[in-house]
Amino acid sequence: MNFSLEGRTYVVMGVANKRSIAWGVARSLHEAGARLIFTYLNDRFEKPIKDLAATLEGQDALFYECDVTNDQAVSDTFAQIKEDVGTIHGLAHCIAFANKEDLQGEFVDTSRDGFLLAHNISAYSLVAVSKAAAPLMTDGGSIVTLTYLGGERVVKNYNVMGVAKASLDASMKYLANDLGKHGVRVNAISAGPIRTLSAKGIGDFNSVLKKIEEEAPLRRTITQEEVGDSAYYLLSNLSRGVTGEIIHVDAGYNILG
Ligand code: NDP
Ligand code: KAL
């Protein structure tokens, strides 16, 4: 079995900084020899991501601005990628957003706008991006998204994001069914809590981490690198028989009743 991703090209969406899960994915793919394409929200994030990518030795990365709420931006981005590199072999979607006020208190208080915003950025974006990216996967391909246990069961404070993740999980399965006939697989990783920019400023995050350390089967939290390595498996030929699946990379926490 050849574990190398040499000669293969992957799009990584959602690197905000070195703590991002997307950065863990990028590093695992880079170590396996892949060529990387990064997308970022707007020009505010261009320099930070270029500086980070410059730390990947021998990596000849490409960069594109892509706000996933903008259909034109999504189709322009992948049209440009097609022109610049031709074929891609996979994509990591590591994007989510909800208004801060909707991530505390009770879910019942969620506004219509807050609900639609969270679903637009965190769930519909996978559909839009998959439709634009799949035609570039002419040798077959693999798409991976990032989800969380709060989409399967009620988790305090996760609120509208839990409902958006349930939509993301179902979207992943319907996409897997549609794109399978074109040789494109679609899967999700359900990551355990990791301290990232998104998690910053969220009340109680320390107690969430402490609970995992006390109760998860492995008695510890997980890292960006561990999510990155599972994404590498899902984005490589090692997982060629797997689609429509959610792999929990969470130290086993989800099996607890
Ligand atoms: P980060 O804050 O590092 O990443 C979130 C990313 O979403 C940022 O890069 C941000 O881009 C991007 N983003 C937000 N809005 C848009 C938009 N309109 N268009 C394009 N990009 C956008 O956090 P994480 O690494 O934690 O999050 C990555 C994924 O992992 C998310 O789906 C999250 O729900 C999921 N996850 C996280 C867990 C955790 O504990 N951290 C656990 C389970 C799942 P920018 O920086 O340019 O604003
Ligand atoms: C139960 C948990 C505790 C945390 C509750 C909610 C977490 C929601 C995640 C969501 C992606 C966070 C945001 O949208 C934050 C946003 O309102 C403010 N932050 C930003 O704008 C920063 C600058 C940018 C970079 O962030 C984004 N997202 O664009 C869930 C924990 C235990 C697990 C987590 C953190 C899951 C997850 O989905 O991230």
Side-chain angles (χ1 to χ4, degrees):
M1 178 71 70
N2 179 7
F3 292 97
S4 170
L5 296 182
E6 212 106 355
R8 293 163 71 93
T9 304
Y10 292 87
V11 177
V12 178
M13 312 183 79
V15 177
N17 60 27
K18 67 176 194 302
R19 287 173 179 257
S20 294
I21 294 177
W23 183 240
V25 175
R27 271 181 301 164
S28 293
L29 296 176
H30 168 75
E31 275 163 34
R35 181 176 196 198
L36 299 178
I37 295 175
F38 293 96
T39 71
Y40 53 90
L41 176 56
N42 59 41
D43 48 7
R44 226 179 83 208
F45 301 98
E46 184 178 349
K47 185 171 163 17
I49 195 182
K50 285 188 171 170
D51 288 349
L52 256 188
T55 65
L56 300 174
E57 212 172 303
Q59 178 61 244
D60 185 20
L62 293 170
F63 305 87
Y64 303 86
E65 182 177 320
C66 184
D67 178 346
V68 295
T69 61
N70 181 333
D71 281 335
Q72 195 61 47
V74 172
S75 63
D76 287 354
T77 298
F78 286 91
Q80 194 58 51
I81 292 174
K82 186 178 179 184
E83 204 176 308
D84 294 346
V85 305
T87 297
I88 62 170
H89 301 88
L91 178 143
H93 170 278
C94 316
I95 290 173
F97 185 88
N99 286 328
K100 225 168 179 170
E101 66 263 27
D102 293 328
L103 301 171
Q104 57 202 356
E106 294 197 350
F107 170 68
V108 72
D109 294 321
T110 309
S111 67
R112 188 184 300 272
D113 282 351
F115 186 97
L116 293 175
L117 177 73
H119 284 70
N120 187 12
I121 299 182
S122 316
Y124 183 73
S125 63
L126 179 70
V127 184
V129 158
S130 297
K131 190 177 167 75
L136 278 64
M137 298 179 184
T138 49
D139 295 340
S142 172
I143 297 170
V144 171
T145 187
L146 262 299
T147 189
Y148 178 61
L149 188 62
E152 299 175 57
R153 53 172 98 141
V154 173
V155 173
K156 192 176 162 210
N157 292 331
Y158 205 58
N159 295 1
V160 72
M161 188 52 74
V163 182
K165 290 300 193 193
S167 168
L168 177 73
D169 296 355
S171 299
M172 177 277 290
K173 292 177 192 176
Y174 277 88
L175 289 167
N177 187 50
D178 286 348
L179 300 180
K181 57 183 169 295
H182 304 300
V184 176
R185 300 182 290 108
V186 191
N187 293 285
I189 292 174
S190 180
I194 299 179
R195 197 183 295 283
T196 61
L197 192 53
S198 282
K200 209 176 163 176
I202 303 278
D204 272 359
F205 195 69
N206 283 339
S207 58
V208 177
L209 293 177
K210 189 160 167 270
K211 196 170 155 65
I212 304 289
E213 281 162 9
E214 285 170 0
E215 295 179 15
L218 295 180
R219 300 288 192 277
R220 63 172 179 83
T221 55
I222 55 117
T223 64
Q224 285 85 339
E225 289 73 20
E226 288 168 331
V227 177
D229 285 351
S230 288
Y232 161 47
Y233 157 74
L234 285 174
L235 290 168
S236 77
N237 263 337
L238 288 173
S239 60
R240 60 198 173 279
V242 180
T243 195
E245 184 67 281
I246 300 178
I247 297 185
H248 293 83
V249 181
D250 67 348
Y253 186 75
N254 75 96
I255 67 172
L256 300 178

